[in-house]
Amino acid sequence: WCPTDESVLAVSGADDQLTLWDLAVELDAEEEARHRDAMVGADGAKREVPPQLLFIHQGQSQIKELHWHPQIPGALASTAASGFNIFKTISV
């Protein structure tokens, strides 16, 4: 859980992705309609991306750990078999 925002969660798994989620995001009816329209690709195919998903980080293999930086809000460090990454998203 993010130490500066109690509704934001960072998750990593066997799919070699690190994702950030904001569980406080709830769309009202107007936003839901806009989100539904925006989730149709140029080819007409519907994409399933929940509004709570803030960020997906890919490119590491076998992610072992992730930690929020204790002094820089929104900064994360992740370690993996392929190395480590430090990044800060704009949305947290």
Side-chain angles (χ1 to χ4, degrees), residues 35-76:
H35 180 73
R36 188 174 36 255
D37 293 341
M39 291 297 105
V40 177
D43 60 355
K46 186 172 181 174
R47 298 175 287 167
E48 295 293 331
V49 179
Q52 295 83 4
L53 180 60
L54 299 177
F55 179 77
I56 300 175
H57 175 69
Q58 299 174 318
Q60 289 183 289
S61 61
Q62 300 177 10
I63 298 172
K64 302 298 181 193
E65 294 184 53
L66 62 95
H67 294 279
W68 293 96
H69 192 284
Q71 297 173 331
I72 303 173
L76 279 165

Side-chain angles (χ1 to χ4, degrees), residues 2-50:
C2 179
T4 59
D5 191 338
E6 63 186 25
S7 66
V8 175
L9 175 68
V11 179
S12 66
D15 60 357
D16 294 334
Q17 294 184 27
L18 189 151
T19 55
L20 293 182
W21 298 84
D22 186 349
L23 303 181
V25 172
E26 292 184 30
L27 303 179
D28 62 24
E30 184 179 318
E31 290 173 322
E32 184 70 39
R34 277 187 297 192
H35 180 73
R36 188 174 36 255
D37 293 341
M39 291 297 105
V40 177
D43 60 355
K46 186 172 181 174
R47 298 175 287 167
E48 295 293 331
V49 179

